Each structure stands twice: as C-alpha cells, then as structure tokens.
Amino acid sequence: MSYTLIGTAVSLYSGKARGYLRWKNIPYRERLSTHEVYKSDILPRVGWPVIPVVIHEDGSQDGVTLQDTTDIIDYVEQHEPGPSVYPDGPRQHLAALMLELFGDEWLLIPAMHYRWTYNRAFAAQEFGRTSFPDLPPEEQLAAVKKAVDFFSGSIGGLGVNEASIPAIEHAYEAFLTAFETHLSEHTFLFGSRPSIGDYGFLGPLYAHLLRDPESGRRMRAMAPRVADWALRCHAPQHPLTGDFLAEDEIPETLLPMLRMFAAQHLPVLIDTATALAEWAGGNPDTAELPRILGFHKARIGHGDVVVETDRALIPYPLWMLQRVTDYLGGLQGEDRVAAEELLRSIGAQQLLDFAMPVRLERRHFKLCVQGR
C-alpha cells in the first residue's frame, strides 16, 4: 500500500504536504498536476480544481482521497507508524496548532504578495510548465493566462493593495527576524523534530517565498537560517529523527512569533467568527459555506507600521481555529492552567472565552456547518 501526491513545485500547500511525507518516511510517488490530470483524477475525485490531492492506495477499489493538507497529515499520523509531528505537552501542542494556523492562513498574505508583485513572470512560467508540459513556452503562457490573472487578482481579497504593501513587507521582515533569531538556538520550532507548526510555516516560506526568485533572494540575504530551515524541512536528510524540547518547554525565542499570531491574525479570526454567526443565522438550511462571508476593515502590519484596509472574511481559517479551541477545551487540571498561562503571555487571552458560533466540518472536500 502506498500514497500518490498530486501537486507541483510551485504550489504552496503541495510543499507542505511533500515535506511532511518525506520526513514521515512514507513511500509515495508524485504526479504532476497537469491540465489532463485535473480532468482525469482531481475533478472526478474532489469535485473542484484544487491541489494537493493525496490518494492512499489502501487496497480498496478507488483508494482513499485526501485533499486538505491538515487532513492529509492527520490521516497519515493515524494510519502510519513512527514519531508524531504533534507534541505531547499541552503548551507545545497548543502553540504548534496556533502556528500551523498562522503559517497556513496569515503568512499566505506575504506569500501571495511577493509572488504576484515581484515574481509574476516566474510564477506564470511555472504554471505553464506544470499545466501544459507538452506545449511550447509561448503556448503554455497563453493557456494559463486566465489562471494567472485569477490568482494574481485574488490578492486584493487578502488585503494586499498599494496602501497596505509597506505594512505587509514590514510585518513579514519582522517575522523573518524573529524566526532567524529562534533558529540560531533551535533546529525547528520546538526542538530538533519538526512539528505541525513547522509544516504550517513550510508552505508559504518554501514554495513561494524561498523558491520564487526575488523573494528567495531577499530571504537568503536577510534570514539565511530561515532559508536553510525551509530546505531542511522540505527535503530532510534524516527522516523520523529528533525530539521535542523536554518538559513542554516553550522557548523564549518562540514567543515573538506567537505574539504576532495573537496581535495580527487573531483579531481577523474573531471578526470572521462574528460574520459566520450572522451568515449561519441568516441561512439556517444551508450547509456549505461560501468562499467569503463579505468584507471588513482589517488591521495589517506589525508594531508601529499598521494600516487598516478592506479584506475578505474567509471562513476556512475558522475550521483550523476550531482545532485550536477543541484542543484547549479538552485540557483539564494543570494542563489547562499551563495552556491558559501561555495564552495570556502572548496576548491571546480572547481564546479563553471564545466559542465558535457553529461547528464546522469538511464534508466532501467542502467546508460545511456540522449537522446540516
């Protein structure tokens, strides 16, 4: 029994899944997500055009189809032996879940900004080579123009615009500085073993921000340890090795990044939850959520360089936030006390009393309200 990863090097979330499968030492093969593979495999299995897709050939007729990277990782964790990317300690586990969310959904902003502002020509060529490998380069570019225009145009919904770009770049550079400092003392986020938080960071930092030429040049100049971490995390030389820090330690060097999550990302998540409550109340018979719930004024940036800008209210990150709050809600006794102390220390005390307005689930590869 083995796994097939359908994806491409230019894809942010393919990089996250690939790095994890390599570290977990899972036998798998990779299929390029060409235009034909979308038609023959992805659309029939998933129902909409998205990558990565992982197929587990488990002996059944069609195998098991997995799509979301968090679902992919959790499935493999449950079905394959070996060390886990989830720390056992409550503080480390909670922090790892928050950092996966921060990487997947907030570092997406600089990842998309740098790609489509500075690396558009490179990305377009990569899209063409991936989707239509048999066509000559000029025809490849023509064939993917619509897709390139769609992805490059989507950055406005993330809050990327002329007014916000200086704040986005300032926040990203502050993040790189904090991560670079942390990596001067630790191999990964929580010690010498990669965690689910590392893989949340890996997608944007490797597939977009390091691999794309201009952002990669900037990362290597400003944060060479981060660049080295991305390469190691994506293609580790020693799979299944390493340990998390003893006694559930949260390194001091990790706190700045956790505080960035609390200050930058958490307020947007809270606003999105408010919008979800309104949508759920107004659509009591609808199960599947829309891709966006409207727009709001989001504060984007870091420290003294912050702007308020229009941004889409995207419900998917709430499913990942629900993983954080579910884990927190299951803690008791000393473990709960330790987790609460951590949240207060990073400015995320809002999570102590936060409740999702409705429970979310991924059903048939779509985000839905549970029970509808």
Side-chain angles (χ1 to χ4, degrees):
M1 293 186 290
S2 63
Y3 293 81
T4 299
L5 169 65
I6 303 175
T8 175
V10 75
S11 159
L12 186 153
Y13 296 108
S14 295
K16 176 185 176 184
R18 187 185 303 108
Y20 167 78
L21 291 172
R22 286 173 168 176
W23 179 81
K24 193 72 173 180
N25 206 22
I26 297 300
Y28 79 97
R29 66 187 182 105
E30 185 160 352
R31 294 184 65 197
L32 188 63
S33 53
T34 66
H35 181 70
E36 291 303 316
V37 168
Y38 269 100
K39 291 194 297 183
S40 64
D41 289 82
I42 296 173
L43 288 174
R45 286 177 175 273
V46 179
W48 58 291
V50 63
I51 54 173
V53 171
V54 166
I55 301 167
H56 180 206
E57 291 121 24
D58 66 344
S60 62
Q61 181 175 352
D62 296 321
V64 177
T65 301
L66 308 161
Q67 187 277 307
D68 178 85
T69 53
T70 299
D71 279 345
I72 291 167
I73 290 172
D74 283 356
Y75 178 91
V76 174
E77 289 284 300
Q78 294 164 11
H79 288 82
E80 303 296 338
S84 175
V85 294
Y86 288 97
D88 290 330
R91 285 157 45 90
Q92 290 181 357
H93 193 126
L94 181 63
L97 290 174
M98 289 188 288
L99 292 176
E100 184 201 15
L101 168 54
F102 184 65
D104 264 11
E105 302 299 330
W106 198 249
L107 291 181
L108 179 66
I109 298 173
M112 292 291 282
H113 156 58
Y114 280 94
R115 167 160 288 180
W116 297 114
T117 303
Y118 299 111
N119 297 299
R120 182 187 177 101
F122 170 80
Q125 290 172 349
E126 291 286 277
F127 274 44
R129 281 194 287 263
T130 293
S131 299
F132 300 95
D134 297 328
L135 293 180
E138 299 80 7
E139 293 182 27
Q140 289 176 345
L141 289 175
V144 298
K145 183 180 184 304
K146 186 176 179 180
V148 167
D149 289 345
F150 171 79
F151 282 109
S152 61
S154 70
I155 64 176
L158 296 175
V160 181
N161 52 60
E162 187 175 343
S164 67
I165 283 174
I168 290 168
E169 295 191 358
H170 175 76
Y172 171 61
E173 290 173 3
F175 167 81
L176 282 183
T177 298
F179 198 12
E180 182 79 359
T181 299
H182 175 79
L183 291 170
S184 69
E185 299 183 22
H186 303 280
T187 311
F188 295 102
L189 289 176
F190 297 95
S192 56
R193 182 196 302 184
S195 70
I196 190 68
D198 288 274
Y199 291 110
F201 282 7
L202 181 62
L205 290 176
Y206 171 76
H208 279 220
L209 291 161
L210 177 61
R211 193 173 176 276
D212 288 7
E214 176 57 24
S215 51
R217 182 191 64 78
R218 296 187 188 197
M219 182 191 292
R220 286 186 289 269
M222 177 178 292
R225 291 188 184 93
V226 176
D228 175 70
W229 164 91
L231 293 172
R232 288 187 290 105
C233 206
H234 182 253
Q237 300 302 305
H238 302 286
L240 299 179
T241 59
D243 295 296
F244 297 126
L245 295 169
E247 298 181 1
D248 200 23
E249 177 188 354
I250 300 291
E252 286 291 323
T253 51
L254 203 61
L255 294 178
M257 289 179 280
L258 288 166
R259 290 177 179 134
M260 289 175 186
F261 162 74
Q264 299 173 24
H265 196 188
L266 185 55
V268 170
L269 295 169
I270 299 298
D271 279 1
T272 309
T274 300
L276 174 61
E278 295 175 359
W279 178 89
N283 299 272
D285 300 320
T286 304
E288 184 180 328
L289 272 71
R291 296 291 295 273
I292 66 171
L293 298 170
F295 288 81
H296 71 141
K297 294 291 185 182
R299 290 173 59 81
I300 292 180
H302 174 76
D304 296 331
V305 184
V306 177
V307 299
E308 189 175 80
T309 189
D310 291 328
R311 188 179 191 276
L313 290 156
I314 304 168
Y316 173 81
L318 294 179
W319 176 73
M320 296 190 71
L321 180 63
Q322 184 175 269
R323 287 160 45 81
V324 176
T325 56
D326 281 355
Y327 181 75
L328 178 64
L331 297 176
Q332 298 179 347
E334 293 182 358
D335 289 348
R336 174 74 187 201
V337 171
E340 290 185 0
E341 288 176 350
L342 172 63
L343 292 176
R344 291 191 180 95
S345 72
I346 64 172
Q349 58 272 11
Q350 280 179 288
L351 288 177
L352 297 175
D353 301 317
F354 174 80
M356 290 289 296
V358 292
R359 284 201 62 80
L360 302 177
E361 65 177 357
R362 283 178 44 79
R363 189 190 317 155
H364 306 305
F365 312 106
K366 299 289 184 68
L367 186 65
C368 299
V369 177
Q370 195 174 80
R372 292 188 180 179

